[in-house]
Amino acid sequence: MSLLSVKDLAVRYGDLIGVGAVTLAVEAGQIVALLGANGAGKTTTLNAIAGLVPPAGGQILWQGKPIQGLPAHQIVSRGIALSPEGWRLFTGQSVEANLRLGATRLADRKQLPHRLDHVFTLFPRLAERRRQQAGTMSGGERQMLALGRALMSAPKLLLLDEPSLGLAPAVVEQVFATLLRLKAEGLTLLLAEQSAELALEVADRAYVLQTGATVLSGTGAELAGNAEVRRAYLGG
Ligand SMILES: Nc1ncnc2c1ncn2[C@@H]1O[C@H](COP(=O)(O)OP(=O)(O)O)[C@@H](O)[C@H]1O
Ligand SMILES: [Mg+2]
């Protein structure tokens, strides 16, 4: 049984189709990449899994049980956390306050200090800046804070929407190194990325979305070697 399995997911925004037929599976311990051009449906897919938009059709199975249509807080409680596109931080609040908000659904409150320690160990920069306002941080630091906030709920699966967007190449390298470290600690990741190159380097498996449907899938290496993928996403 896959940790997460999405079958024929459809999401509508009024009369508009967000996604029409997304199918994917995520096995425990993997990094899975969701690739596709702007507007392909990556964010919609992640938001539907996280319970932020209601599916109009299809199935989302978590550890074999349907979760589609559950409210977001129940999905967080089951072990799925989202680090959203554009980070959605409370910019007027401190780094630590933002992290604590990520733990709102942590069932065992005694775990909170341990989760904070874990995030501060992963990102020493956040520890140094714990009292600083989130809005005064650099792009890379904000991405780390968004990741750290998602990790505060002690997820089994981390959904990451465009972690490299707007970041300098050196910072992107750091972010991806962190993702590999999280994988080594046993976390499972589903990562939406417009820039396919790095995503395919770290991904065990990848899916390509086109206008709201899954059109290709394979191992990271298979897709990196696929002529169509190279032409569309890798500039080759
Ligand atoms: N809030 C919204 N209202 C209406 N249409 C939307 C909304 N969000 C996304 N869409 C549409 O849904 C489709 C998928 O978008 P999105 O999931 O954001 O793609 P991606 O993340 O791959 O860029 C696009 O056609 C987009 O215009
Ligand atoms: Mg998006």
Side-chain angles (χ1 to χ4, degrees), residues 184-195:
E185 289 178 5
L187 190 67
T188 306
L189 292 104
L190 176 59
L191 164 77
E193 261 294 343
Q194 245 181 86
S195 57

Side-chain angles (χ1 to χ4, degrees), residues 221-236:
E222 277 164 9
L223 289 194
N226 178 295
E228 200 180 324
V229 172
R230 296 196 70 80
R231 199 173 51 246
Y233 305 110
L234 301 175

Side-chain angles (χ1 to χ4, degrees), residues 1-26:
M1 187 195 358
S2 301
L3 184 64
L4 176 79
S5 143
V6 173
K7 289 179 195 153
D8 296 321
L9 175 70
V11 174
R12 298 206 184 92
Y13 298 106
D15 291 337
L16 299 172
I17 292 176
V19 296
V22 171
T23 293
L24 61 89
V26 179

Side-chain angles (χ1 to χ4, degrees), residues 35-190:
L35 309 177
N38 192 18
K42 304 179 297 298
T43 295
T44 300
T45 299
L46 294 187
N47 286 351
I49 295 167
L52 298 176
V53 293
Q59 225 183 10
I60 303 172
L61 299 179
W62 172 245
Q63 299 176 315
K65 298 198 182 75
I67 56 165
Q68 71 270 14
L70 289 181
H73 66 86
Q74 284 191 26
I75 290 176
V76 175
S77 298
R78 279 169 167 72
I80 303 178
L82 171 70
S83 174
E85 189 172 10
W87 313 317
R88 307 273 174 90
L89 298 170
F90 290 93
T91 51
Q93 298 209 32
S94 71
V95 165
E96 183 171 331
N98 273 276
L99 289 175
R100 286 177 177 277
L101 283 167
T104 311
R105 289 287 149 185
L106 198 63
D108 180 0
R109 305 307 298 170
K110 289 198 293 295
Q111 284 298 315
L112 202 149
H114 303 295
R115 296 308 301 172
L116 260 183
D117 278 350
H118 177 240
V119 170
F120 286 149
T121 306
L122 265 174
F123 304 113
R125 193 94 183 142
L126 296 183
E128 286 164 24
R129 311 212 152 186
R130 65 196 291 168
R131 299 193 207 296
Q132 192 170 319
Q133 271 193 12
T136 64
M137 310 257 286
S138 72
E141 290 164 348
R142 288 186 207 202
Q143 178 57 65
M144 287 169 194
L145 180 52
L147 249 171
R149 182 186 52 189
L151 293 173
M152 287 298 290
S153 64
K156 294 189 183 74
L157 171 67
L158 178 61
L159 309 173
L160 264 171
D161 202 351
E162 305 276 4
S164 75
L165 198 70
L167 302 184
V171 180
V172 172
E173 294 274 349
Q174 281 174 28
V175 170
F176 275 79
T178 305
L179 302 187
L180 285 173
R181 198 166 148 196
L182 291 171
K183 179 192 166 173
E185 289 178 5
L187 190 67
T188 306
L189 292 104
L190 176 59

